[in-house]
Amino acid sequence: MTEWHMDIGATPVAGGVRFRVWAPLASSVDVVRCGDGEKEPSPLARAGDYFQGTITGMAAGDRYRYLVDGTLRRPDPASRCQPEGVHGPSQVVDPDFAWSDGGWQGVKLEELITCELHVGTFTPEGTFQGVMERLDYLCELGVTALELMPVVEFPGRRNWGYDGVFPFAPHHAYGGAAGLKALVDACHCRGLSVILDVVYNHLGPEGNYLHSFAPYFTNRYRTPWGDAVNFDGPLSDGVRHYIIANALHWVSEYHMDGLRIDAIHGIYDFSARHILRDITQAVNSLARRLGRNVHVIAESELNDVRTIMPAESGGHGLHAQWCDDFHHGLMTYLTGERCGYFVDFGTFRQLEKAFREGFVYSGEYSRHHRRRHGSSSADLPPRRLVVFSQNHDQVGNRALGDRPSSRLSLEQLKLAAAAVILSPYLPLIFMGEEYGETAPFPYFTSHGDPELAAAVRQGRRTEFASFEVHGEVPDPQAEGTFITAGIDPERRRHGWHRFIYAFYRELIRLRRELPQLRAPERDRIEVAGLEADEVIALC
Amino acid sequence: MTEWHMDIGATPVAGGVRFRVWAPLASSVDVVRCGDGEKEPSPLARAGDYFQGTITGMAAGDRYRYLVDGTLRRPDPASRCQPEGVHGPSQVVDPDFAWSDGGWQGVKLEELITCELHVGTFTPEGTFQGVMERLDYLCELGVTALELMPVVEFPGRRNWGYDGVFPFAPHHAYGGAAGLKALVDACHCRGLSVILDVVYNHLGPEGNYLHSFAPYFTNRYRTPWGDAVNFDGPLSDGVRHYIIANALHWVSEYHMDGLRIDAIHGIYDFSARHILRDITQAVNSLARRLGRNVHVIAESELNDVRTIMPAESGGHGLHAQWCDDFHHGLMTYLTGERCGYFVDFGTFRQLEKAFREGFVYSGEYSRHHRRRHGSSSADLPPRRLVVFSQNHDQVGNRALGDRPSSRLSLEQLKLAAAAVILSPYLPLIFMGEEYGETAPFPYFTSHGDPELAAAVRQGRRTEFASFEVHGEVPDPQAEGTFITAGIDPERRRHGWHRFIYAFYRELIRLRRELPQLRAPERDRIEVAGLEADEVIALC
């Protein structure tokens, strides 16, 4: 087998569309075609825990819902498109696309220099097409990869993306499946890899209809976002299949070069095979068959080295993970901030350890976690850690969403940039950082459910009630909040932004041109800290 | 450091008693000495998250409670004795004992032939002293180790032990600390190791006062027994210290030769260092210093090979774990039973796999778990698995608690015995099994809380409502239920029991005398199954 095909969802075939949906507890599932005065439901046949069948006369573009047990009309959990939003019908999408990236192999892990961006605010259009039109700019900057914050269908038109509820459906307002494929294709033609942020620890609170089909969730574990995804309980095989299929479909149908798996500390799996290991092995195997470099990268606050240890050594074998400790060590030392989780950071020796080992907390007591925290990453190659001085969370999870560029001096910004980009780790910057964008990146949503909207608004206020906030916490539901987040790279041509931008370009050029800067092995680096002089030397 | 001393609880010192208790959220903790008209409370001093101090004039034998925040009078979470039961005061116990087992090194892992017993029903006395008086009998049988079902203070006088609430206090009615030490000492003098069943996944529902002191529990995970023990949340360092101290105190103060950790599938720890790994490393380190063989053995239904993989290979490094699959494979094949979890077993090939690999479910779909289950133990040495045809659970968790000896033919019983004792694994028998004891081992309790008693009674009936039960489910609270469980080894001299007993003795003698039977390496064993002849050959 050299290719992979989705075996769930709707797939156009000769003369019709094949449907397959996991519904182990349902007594019947029908396909209801929408429009034309709603035709008679077409029954699917049970096959094990799935219902499946080919409906003739249907084709790509058709809209449909499933009818579960003859009573519940629900969109497809594996919908490839939700043209009318999270509550609307699903749409049949042809998985084929006229790719022009033949021969593309992807950027190697150690060559990743990533720019994280949010599709909705990266351009005034807020679409995949908008991003495409700025690719020349990103090439000029010199990064080797884009990382897209989650793009799948979320409620409304404004959202960071972590409230997505259709993991297979790029948001219709961003440009849907075709728009995302066109963007990836254009990136590849310019030599840019694309990494997608995927959320496997929860689904959003609005428009989640998966409950109607199967036990996708469990209340045996509590996450900050409610019930956990059922990766290890009864009937979890179907959930695991759904999630692994999701990972593979991004690589196969969308030619994605990597997945950034959101908040794995919310992924609970006590079974003998951890789902992250299964995902990574499945992606590795597909990538090998396709002859491409595809990276699986975790966001994790566990500081658990097993995440990125090879499977042969008992790890989950992910290729890399985000290293928040590096950010916290660097930014607290620069700014003197100590609120929230920064309480654990601020010393020179911590920053030195971040450079030398990666995890600053490798078993030490953490005041924030109120327990000893973490294991040591000192023995792992630096390419297993992604570092940054800004990202959507570190900017957006501040009360006002303000960026370092609105608080720090030019010299401080340059120091942060150099620390990240010339580090032995994999550098990541947040859209606009490269020229000192001062637009904030506040939290924004556009929930349709008024009760939920009020709860989110209130939750945000409560979250920062104990912080000293210089100004009003922005209302996440207000369109104005979203609008303030829009960035404008034209600023790079003006005033002090010019200097910052030139500096970032030069750092990136150095990293690309000097092989010794490209995530070397640990034994090739020495880190020396001279505290009195505030100097950390890497050689 | 060559020895280890408890740093929590009450410890007699010159002129008084030193107290130390973990109470990170308390504003004050006092010691209240009981008796003599209740003296003035003596305040302890805060030291970090602990309260501590030496109260002069107190001595071993004194009874006390802690007074938390000036309002709650509570027994000591690290009480070494509860002379008046779970709701009564704690008692100061001198940890010293006149040991006569100098030079004892313990039985090696591969030489373990274990008899599991329940102190309350093993003899008419139901005490540690009673067990001591039967040690000659156990030596005659030839086993090399006793495994005691949990012995720590539980509510009332009748309990399997899994409702214990004072993990450091041997039950006063069994004979308390001194009684247990005398038993272990006597075992060692006869060359018997002693393994203790310890429960680290929950505390019993009655008499658990730990909530008053600290967040020992968390509601982030749900276990079948309620809130999980807080091994990874805020303030969990104190919980981990408490549990590790518990493991070490059995080895140090009681000279235990092993711990059987109950139901590790109820131990939830997502931190970067799993508590089981920390426990095992601490025990290993102490055992090395003491020059003794001390084994850490898990009960687990996870079929997760990481439990018993070495820490260097990413495992928790436990020395062995119980292998239920072997039991289920063997007994379903012998009896044809298919109810409950037996639904997953019954074929010849499964039994053959149990002999060849250990885990029968190494990733296959399990109807009982309703998902794929387990990982492969094929590459691990057979000494990592403990096997049995009976144990307290496999007998007692049947509706009537009836034993195989009351259902199977003599030939079937002999086959089961030979399969276990001559297996490449570590054999374990359940008290009385060796002569075909027919007394049942039903579930019994003696809760003092009437509501809880009614709930347990009802729960037991409900549990078996869907089973075909030939008779009334015994009332766990009735004293008669407990009494029926008493065994009588005198039976070994009569009728068919004689033959069974002689057979077990001979099997055990063979295992002890033939080195090739002593848990060899995997590559030294070949397993051949001839299904048509119903023969499994090991060579």
Side-chain angles (χ1 to χ4, degrees):
Chain A
M1 180 168 105
T2 56
E3 279 210 66
W4 178 89
H5 295 287
M6 252 174 86
D7 65 354
I8 48 178
T11 312
V13 294
V17 173
R18 184 171 55 78
F19 293 88
R20 189 158 184 267
V21 61
W22 179 52
L25 306 174
S27 55
S28 70
V29 178
D30 298 72
V31 175
V32 182
R33 191 172 159 185
C34 306
D36 306 333
E38 299 247 330
K39 304 210 173 62
E40 269 296 280
S42 309
L44 297 177
R46 176 182 276 286
D49 286 345
Y50 290 78
F51 285 83
Q52 61 187 40
T54 299
I55 314 292
T56 54
M58 285 186 72
D62 285 351
R63 298 181 185 196
Y64 67 99
R65 284 193 176 87
Y66 288 126
L67 179 65
V68 182
D69 288 339
T71 52
L72 303 169
R73 286 175 189 239
R74 296 287 183 254
D76 186 349
S79 167
R80 282 195 179 91
C81 186
Q82 290 293 117
E84 300 167 35
V86 300
H87 304 295
S90 303
Q91 185 172 38
V92 180
V93 171
D94 186 343
D96 286 343
F97 181 79
W99 290 97
S100 56
D101 66 352
W104 172 252
Q105 298 189 322
V107 172
K108 290 186 187 143
L109 186 69
E110 58 272 25
E111 290 174 0
L112 287 178
I113 305 169
T114 305
C115 178
E116 184 190 30
L117 64 85
H118 176 259
V119 171
T121 53
F122 184 61
T123 65
E125 299 79 18
T127 60
F128 299 129
Q129 177 68 31
V131 179
M132 269 173 73
E133 288 165 16
R134 282 213 179 136
L135 291 184
D136 288 340
Y137 161 62
L138 291 167
C139 289
E140 170 192 298
L141 171 62
V143 294
T144 62
L146 306 196
E147 180 165 314
L148 305 177
M149 287 175 65
V151 300
V152 300
E153 195 73 25
F154 50 75
R157 300 175 71 95
R158 308 181 303 273
N159 197 287
W160 279 17
Y162 301 95
D163 294 320
V165 284
F166 289 90
F168 294 83
H171 200 285
H172 71 285
Y174 282 176
L180 181 55
K181 287 173 188 170
L183 169 59
V184 175
D185 198 40
C187 286
H188 290 175
C189 292
R190 284 169 176 79
L192 291 169
S193 271
V194 185
I195 297 168
L196 182 66
D197 195 343
V198 291
V199 185
Y200 294 153
N201 54 62
H202 75 290
L203 257 69
E206 181 180 348
N208 174 3
Y209 292 107
L210 269 57
H211 301 275
S212 305
F213 291 89
Y216 284 90
F217 303 94
T218 173
N219 62 3
R220 281 172 303 118
Y221 313 119
R222 292 214 307 191
T223 81
W225 315 280
D227 283 356
V229 177
N230 174 26
F231 286 117
D232 62 1
L235 293 170
S236 53
D237 287 354
V239 184
R240 296 171 74 100
H241 179 80
Y242 178 82
I243 294 295
I244 293 169
N246 185 264
L248 295 180
H249 111 286
W250 292 123
V251 177
S252 173
E253 285 187 22
Y254 288 83
H255 292 201
M256 286 290 172
D257 304 295
L259 301 173
R260 178 259 194 199
I261 304 182
D262 180 61
I264 65 158
H265 41 277
I267 292 178
Y268 295 87
D269 182 0
F270 271 104
S271 73
R273 282 188 69 93
H274 199 284
I275 182 68
L276 289 173
R277 183 172 163 187
D278 274 6
I279 290 170
T280 308
Q281 290 193 345
V283 168
N284 287 346
S285 161
L286 178 59
R288 252 194 317 273
R289 294 201 302 272
L290 297 170
R292 282 166 39 201
N293 289 297
V294 184
H295 313 298
V296 184
I297 298 170
E299 183 209 7
S300 170
E301 65 172 39
L302 296 173
N303 275 23
D304 186 349
V305 76
R306 285 173 299 189
T307 306
I308 45 177
M309 271 167 58
E312 310 84 77
S313 309
H316 302 332
L318 275 75
H319 306 177
Q321 75 153 75
W322 283 26
C323 181
D324 283 1
D325 280 12
F326 184 94
H327 170 271
H328 302 343
L330 175 63
M331 297 310 279
T332 53
Y333 193 68
L334 272 180
T335 66
E337 281 191 85
R338 294 292 181 276
C339 62
Y341 42 69
F342 287 162
V343 69
D344 279 338
F345 294 86
T347 74
F348 178 85
R349 292 297 171 201
Q350 286 179 318
L351 181 54
E352 184 188 341
K353 183 171 178 184
F355 274 103
R356 182 176 292 121
E357 301 189 6
F359 296 162
V360 173
Y361 281 82
S362 55
E364 290 82 358
Y365 181 80
S366 148
R367 287 172 66 190
H368 172 65
H369 289 100
R370 303 180 76 183
R371 58 168 167 78
R372 283 195 295 269
H373 182 58
S375 49
S376 173
S377 60
D379 293 334
L380 288 183
R383 66 177 175 278
R384 298 267 170 255
L385 298 176
V386 176
V387 299
F388 35 79
S389 67
Q390 298 184 35
N391 67 40
H392 74 275
D393 263 330
Q394 298 308 333
V395 171
N397 280 335
R398 303 172 67 87
L400 305 178
D402 52 313
R403 293 179 181 246
S405 44
S406 62
R407 302 188 304 274
L408 270 58
S409 73
L410 214 62
E411 293 311 308
Q412 285 177 313
L413 293 175
K414 286 165 70 177
L415 191 59
V420 167
I421 297 174
L422 304 183
S423 83
Y425 307 110
L426 306 179
L428 175 140
I429 63 173
F430 183 52
M431 59 175 194
E433 172 188 335
E434 66 278 10
Y435 58 85
E437 176 60 69
T438 52
F441 192 72
Y443 187 67
F444 47 80
T445 52
S446 52
H447 289 298
D449 175 347
E451 272 185 48
L452 178 61
V456 167
R457 192 178 287 132
Q458 187 53 46
R460 205 70 189 167
R461 282 202 197 116
T462 311
E463 186 174 345
F464 297 107
S466 62
F467 286 75
E468 198 186 328
V469 177
H470 304 282
E472 180 94 358
V473 176
D475 175 2
Q477 284 281 120
E479 190 174 5
T481 302
F482 167 80
I483 289 171
T484 63
I487 69 165
D488 180 9
E490 279 308 301
R491 291 203 175 111
R492 74 184 185 279
R493 308 191 193 280
H494 307 290
W496 60 275
H497 297 294
R498 273 204 304 154
F499 299 104
I500 294 286
Y501 184 63
F503 192 68
Y504 268 84
R505 281 189 69 186
E506 181 63 13
L507 291 172
I508 292 171
R509 189 189 63 77
L510 279 171
R511 186 168 182 112
R512 290 184 68 150
E513 291 184 0
L514 298 177
Q516 57 271 41
L517 288 179
R518 219 169 294 148
E521 297 299 323
R522 278 274 175 217
D523 55 15
R524 302 287 302 277
I525 320 161
E526 242 178 79
V527 177
L530 304 167
E531 188 160 12
D533 304 315
E534 297 194 89
V535 168
I536 294 174
L538 275 73
C539 40
Chain B
M1 180 168 107
T2 55
E3 278 209 67
W4 178 89
H5 295 286
M6 253 173 85
D7 65 353
I8 48 177
T11 311
V13 293
V17 173
R18 183 170 56 77
F19 293 89
R20 189 157 184 267
V21 61
W22 180 53
L25 306 174
S27 54
S28 69
V29 178
D30 298 71
V31 175
V32 182
R33 190 171 160 186
C34 305
D36 305 333
E38 299 248 330
K39 302 210 173 64
E40 269 295 281
S42 309
L44 297 177
R46 177 182 275 285
D49 286 344
Y50 290 77
F51 284 84
Q52 62 188 39
T54 298
I55 314 292
T56 52
M58 285 186 72
D62 285 352
R63 299 181 185 195
Y64 66 100
R65 284 192 176 88
Y66 288 126
L67 178 66
V68 182
D69 287 339
T71 53
L72 303 170
R73 286 176 188 239
R74 295 288 182 254
D76 187 349
S79 166
R80 283 196 177 92
C81 186
Q82 289 295 115
E84 300 167 35
V86 298
H87 303 295
S90 303
Q91 186 172 39
V92 181
V93 171
D94 186 343
D96 286 344
F97 181 79
W99 290 96
S100 55
D101 66 352
W104 172 251
Q105 299 190 322
V107 172
K108 289 185 187 144
L109 186 69
E110 58 271 26
E111 290 174 0
L112 287 178
I113 305 169
T114 304
C115 177
E116 184 191 30
L117 64 86
H118 176 261
V119 171
T121 52
F122 184 61
T123 64
E125 299 79 17
T127 60
F128 298 130
Q129 176 69 30
V131 179
M132 270 174 73
E133 288 165 15
R134 283 216 177 134
L135 291 184
D136 288 341
Y137 161 61
L138 291 168
C139 289
E140 169 193 299
L141 171 62
V143 295
T144 62
L146 306 197
E147 180 165 314
L148 304 177
M149 287 173 65
V151 300
V152 300
E153 195 74 24
F154 49 75
R157 300 175 70 96
R158 307 181 304 273
N159 197 287
W160 279 17
Y162 301 95
D163 293 320
V165 283
F166 289 90
F168 293 83
H171 201 284
H172 70 285
Y174 283 176
L180 181 55
K181 287 173 188 170
L183 170 58
V184 174
D185 197 42
C187 286
H188 288 176
C189 292
R190 283 170 178 78
L192 290 169
S193 271
V194 184
I195 297 168
L196 182 65
D197 195 343
V198 291
V199 185
Y200 294 153
N201 54 63
H202 76 289
L203 257 69
E206 180 179 350
N208 173 3
Y209 292 106
L210 268 58
H211 301 276
S212 304
F213 291 89
Y216 283 91
F217 303 93
T218 173
N219 62 5
R220 282 172 302 118
Y221 312 119
R222 292 216 308 191
T223 80
W225 314 282
D227 282 356
V229 177
N230 174 26
F231 287 116
D232 63 1
L235 294 170
S236 53
D237 287 354
V239 184
R240 296 171 73 102
H241 179 80
Y242 178 81
I243 295 294
I244 292 170
N246 185 264
L248 295 181
H249 111 287
W250 292 123
V251 177
S252 173
E253 284 188 22
Y254 288 84
H255 293 201
M256 285 292 172
D257 305 293
L259 301 174
R260 179 261 194 198
I261 303 183
D262 180 60
I264 65 158
H265 42 276
I267 292 178
Y268 295 87
D269 183 359
F270 270 104
S271 72
R273 283 188 68 93
H274 199 284
I275 182 67
L276 289 174
R277 184 172 162 187
D278 274 5
I279 291 170
T280 307
Q281 289 192 346
V283 168
N284 287 347
S285 162
L286 178 58
R288 251 193 317 273
R289 294 202 301 274
L290 297 170
R292 282 164 40 198
N293 289 297
V294 184
H295 314 298
V296 183
I297 299 169
E299 182 208 7
S300 170
E301 65 172 39
L302 296 172
N303 276 23
D304 185 348
V305 75
R306 286 174 298 189
T307 306
I308 45 178
M309 270 167 59
E312 310 85 76
S313 309
H316 302 332
L318 276 74
H319 305 177
Q321 76 154 74
W322 283 26
C323 181
D324 283 1
D325 281 12
F326 184 94
H327 170 271
H328 302 343
L330 175 63
M331 298 310 277
T332 53
Y333 193 68
L334 273 180
T335 66
E337 281 191 84
R338 293 294 181 276
C339 63
Y341 42 68
F342 287 161
V343 69
D344 279 338
F345 293 86
T347 74
F348 178 85
R349 292 297 171 201
Q350 287 179 315
L351 181 55
E352 184 189 342
K353 184 172 177 184
F355 273 103
R356 182 177 291 122
E357 301 189 5
F359 296 163
V360 172
Y361 281 82
S362 54
E364 290 82 358
Y365 182 79
S366 147
R367 287 173 66 190
H368 173 65
H369 289 99
R370 304 180 74 181
R371 57 168 168 78
R372 284 195 294 270
H373 182 58
S375 49
S376 172
S377 59
D379 293 334
L380 288 183
R383 64 177 176 279
R384 298 266 171 255
L385 297 175
V386 176
V387 298
F388 35 77
S389 67
Q390 299 184 34
N391 67 39
H392 74 276
D393 263 330
Q394 298 308 334
V395 171
N397 281 335
R398 303 173 67 86
L400 306 178
D402 52 313
R403 294 178 180 246
S405 43
S406 62
R407 302 187 305 274
L408 270 60
S409 72
L410 214 61
E411 292 312 307
Q412 285 177 313
L413 293 175
K414 285 166 70 179
L415 191 58
V420 167
I421 297 174
L422 304 184
S423 83
Y425 307 110
L426 305 179
L428 175 141
I429 63 173
F430 183 52
M431 59 176 194
E433 173 188 334
E434 68 276 10
Y435 59 83
E437 177 61 69
T438 51
F441 192 72
Y443 186 67
F444 48 80
T445 53
S446 52
H447 289 299
D449 175 347
E451 271 185 49
L452 178 62
V456 167
R457 193 178 285 133
Q458 187 54 45
R460 205 68 191 169
R461 281 201 198 118
T462 311
E463 186 175 343
F464 296 107
S466 63
F467 286 75
E468 197 185 329
V469 177
H470 303 282
E472 181 94 357
V473 177
D475 175 2
Q477 285 281 119
E479 190 174 4
T481 302
F482 168 79
I483 289 171
T484 62
I487 68 164
D488 180 9
E490 279 307 301
R491 290 204 175 109
R492 74 186 186 276
R493 308 190 194 280
H494 307 290
W496 60 276
H497 297 294
R498 274 204 304 154
F499 298 105
I500 295 285
Y501 185 64
F503 192 68
Y504 269 85
R505 280 188 70 186
E506 180 63 12
L507 290 172
I508 292 171
R509 189 188 65 75
L510 279 172
R511 187 167 181 113
R512 292 183 68 151
E513 291 183 1
L514 298 177
Q516 58 271 43
L517 288 179
R518 219 168 295 148
E521 298 298 323
R522 279 272 177 221
D523 56 14
R524 302 287 302 277
I525 320 161
E526 243 178 79
V527 177
L530 304 166
E531 188 161 11
D533 303 315
E534 298 194 271
V535 168
I536 294 176
L538 276 73
C539 39

